[in-house]
């Protein structure tokens, strides 16, 4: 890689939001959560996976989830978003990076994230081929404010740190 692209670490940020909808699954960080409502979306609507995928691609300046997995492609309908995350990790690995750390915040009035945190970290770690000890998932309410407070949907923010792969 050219000298200006060499750095000890690179950070990317990702954001995603999905509307709640009845009769849809609620999958976050690869974990199916029991819920009266699910998340509307073209794929499985896993907002944690989507935000983190964008963070990882962003850190490598390798585009975004929408360009890698367009909604217009029927192959992406109902797609397992953890598989999309895994493919994004493959892309940044072939560009000379590896994931060193990931941190995700889910902003929602419900579901509560705490009971699912360990499983979500495990699933994310598997998709990124890293240890769960370098994966963080946190839940926050929006204190009842705005569209999240009204229970219209949820949002996720993710930060990923990439380092150069050892050769
Ligand atoms: Zn999404």
């Amino acid at each position: 890689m050219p000298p200006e692209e060499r750095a000890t670490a690179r950070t990317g940020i990702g954001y995603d939001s999905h509307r709640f909808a009845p009769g849809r699954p609620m999958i976050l960080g690869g974990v199916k959560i029991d819920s009266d409502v699910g998340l509307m979306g073209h794929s499985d609507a896993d907002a944690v996976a989507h935000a983190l995928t964008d963070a990882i691609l962003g850190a490598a300046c390798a585009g975004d989830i929408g360009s890698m997995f367009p909604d217009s492609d029927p192959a992406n309908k109902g797609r397992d978003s953890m598989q999309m995350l895994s493919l994004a990790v493959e892309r940044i690995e072939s560009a000379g990076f590896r994931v060193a750390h990931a941190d995700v915040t889910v902003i929602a009035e419900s579901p509560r994230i705490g009971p699912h945190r360990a499983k979500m970290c495990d699933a994310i770690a598997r998709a990124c081929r890293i240890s769960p000890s370098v994966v963080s998932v946190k839940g926050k309410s929006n204190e009842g404010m705005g569209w999240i407070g009204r229970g219209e949907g949820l949002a996720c923010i993710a930060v990923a740190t990439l380092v150069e792969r050892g050769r």
Side-chain angles (χ1 to χ4, degrees), residues 15-18 40 43 45-48 50-51 65 81:
Y15 170 84
D16 195 33
S17 60
H18 282 267
M40 196 185 285
S43 66
D46 184 336
V48 169
H50 295 175
I65 189 169
S81 297

Side-chain angles (χ1 to χ4, degrees), residues 39-166:
L39 296 170
M40 196 185 285
H42 185 72
S43 66
D44 66 4
D46 184 336
V48 169
H50 295 175
L52 186 54
T53 299
D54 257 356
I56 286 168
L57 291 172
C61 299
D64 62 30
I65 189 169
S67 56
M68 196 168 170
F69 304 100
D71 278 2
S72 53
D73 184 346
N76 296 327
K77 188 166 166 54
R79 189 163 186 169
D80 174 357
S81 297
M82 296 303 277
Q83 187 205 27
M84 289 157 50
L85 172 60
S86 195
L87 289 169
V89 170
E90 274 178 28
R91 174 179 283 194
I92 65 98
E93 284 180 348
S94 56
F97 298 101
R98 65 178 174 83
V99 180
H101 175 253
D103 186 18
V104 183
T105 296
V106 181
I107 308 156
E109 302 300 330
S110 74
R112 295 197 66 80
I113 298 305
H116 310 286
R117 183 201 313 266
K119 271 182 139 173
M120 288 165 66
C121 287
D122 283 349
I124 291 166
R126 266 198 310 280
C128 296
R129 294 184 286 283
I130 56 178
S131 162
S133 65
V134 292
V135 177
S136 161
V137 177
K138 311 185 298 298
K140 288 284 288 180
S141 89
N142 211 40
E143 299 289 342
M145 295 181 289
W147 62 269
I148 294 175
R150 290 191 296 273
E152 292 175 21
L154 58 73
C156 291
I157 299 169
V159 170
T161 304
L162 309 186
V163 293
E164 282 182 50
R165 284 172 83 183

